Amino acid sequence: MTDYTKPARVRVAPSPTGHMHLGTARTALYDYLLAKKTGGKFILRIEDTDIKRTIPGAEQEIMDGLRWLGLNYDEGPDVGGPFGPYRQTERREIYQQHAKMLVDKGHAYPCFCTPDRLEKMRQEQQKRKEAPHYDGLCRRLSPDEAARRVASGEKYVIRFKMPKEGSTTAHDVLRGDIVIENKNIDDYVILKSDGLPTYHLAAMVDDHLMQITHVFRGSEWLGTFPLHVNIVRAFGWDEPEWVHLSVFLKPSGKGKMSKREAADAIKDGHSIFIKDMQDLGFIPEGLLNWMVLMGWGVSDGDVLTLNDMIEKFDLEHLNPSPAAINFTKLDHFNGTHIRLLPDPELAARIKPYFVKAGYSVKDDVLMKLTPLVKERIVTLDDAVDMAGFFFKENVDPKPEELIAKGLTPAQSAEAARQALAVLNGVNPLTVHAAEPPMRELVEKMGLSAGQVFGILRVAVTGQKVSPPLFESMEIIGREKVLARIRKAIEMLEAMK
Ligand code: GLU
């Protein structure tokens, strides 16, 4: 059982090799929850030792993404901390010293095999239908011979010397003991010829030096998990608690999402990248609620704030089974959390989307339209489609949309004329003053509210879907409303 009274030290350790995705964000969220629950620390470490794959801007995107989500880290490259530096390329010497420590203890060895030789070896193994593995040529060199070749300036990597006998038992909090025969684990490279470490060494060294108590990471690391515990044990260190999180599957549940499918999701208003989510109008509260439940066994429909999550979080209830990405649920949680925001807060959050769409936003109008869209939007940018017309001087209805269902243009024009006559007599034009006589009129004409209000909605807002009609009229103002209805009547009359 996890002791929640002991401050945990947890880290998220992304590689800056692409856009920050859902998996990184969820790991960070679980880290954050455990840190907050135990009064511990949440750390950001940038694992940038694969220099060829590093993408400029990716690190900044990770830092911005975490802050946007509200997952502020206590230690990290840009905030510092007592265990820095927090960027692995700034810790080269530390890894080199540790690789040497393993060599000195007989747990690792320099390997001088050329890429050419390794490639030939790989091809032969393939022909023999063997799993690719290092054949151990340099493992058999005497330490003196190896030291002589290193001193002579020959190029080398350092490999971890996996025990060939016996088995390794590695313990995962969610999956229990995992036992694997040592002979099935390769002698992995832990330090490359450029002097930079691979993940296997760097992460183990850093987790130890940074006093990490719990390692949350993706289950893609399960394959090399026994290697990692062997490295930690070879140093003689205590192991952290290991928690390999569930993988995400594509919405169909069949396999992982490909790059192409991830790109396609965007057309549908969804994404697996945090940056896109922000642009698409998702709010951190909705996203966090959705993410936290992907792999956590609290009741599925739970609406949770970050504080609720901290309170309820329980490591033992995380679910190791793969989780299918369900964007419908994301929409649900996003809409739900939008409705939980106070109006001024929601107004402030939708404003940038109007600005981005090119509207000059009047704050008093924004404040009035906010409660009208609040009940109806799923993402923040929906507010623009629904209510952008409030900031337009003129609207531009499509003539055919002015024709009510079941009516001719002439009949629609007549309905609009009668509505205009009633509204002309309502001054000031408020919801309370306008709605009752308009409903009476609809009844008198023997038409449905949908038909008559539909014509007026298109006339006044320029669109078929809008916030409630009379509330909208009140915000637009009497003169404009009447002028727009007059114009619509003319358009209908001009139709044959
Ligand atoms: N840099 C690794 C990755 O991005 C981190 C894995 C871990 O959290 O240990 O997959």
Side-chain angles (χ1 to χ4, degrees), residues 207-222:
D207 287 342
H208 171 72
L209 295 180
M210 295 179 182
Q211 299 180 9
I212 300 303
T213 57
H214 299 74
V215 170
F216 289 88
R217 60 180 188 176
S219 56
E220 66 270 24
W221 296 108
L222 278 171

Side-chain angles (χ1 to χ4, degrees), residues 11-21 23-25 27-28 31 42-49 58-59 61-63 66 77 86-88 199 216:
R11 89 300 191 276
V12 66
S15 299
T17 52
H19 291 299
M20 177 184 178
H21 58 79
T24 306
T27 304
D31 283 329
F42 168 45
I43 295 137
L44 170 64
R45 182 172 75 223
I46 297 291
E47 299 204 328
D48 57 350
T49 60
E59 177 182 309
E61 189 180 312
I62 292 163
M63 301 194 293
L66 289 173
Y86 294 90
R87 205 178 274 117
Q88 288 187 327
Y199 170 81
F216 289 88

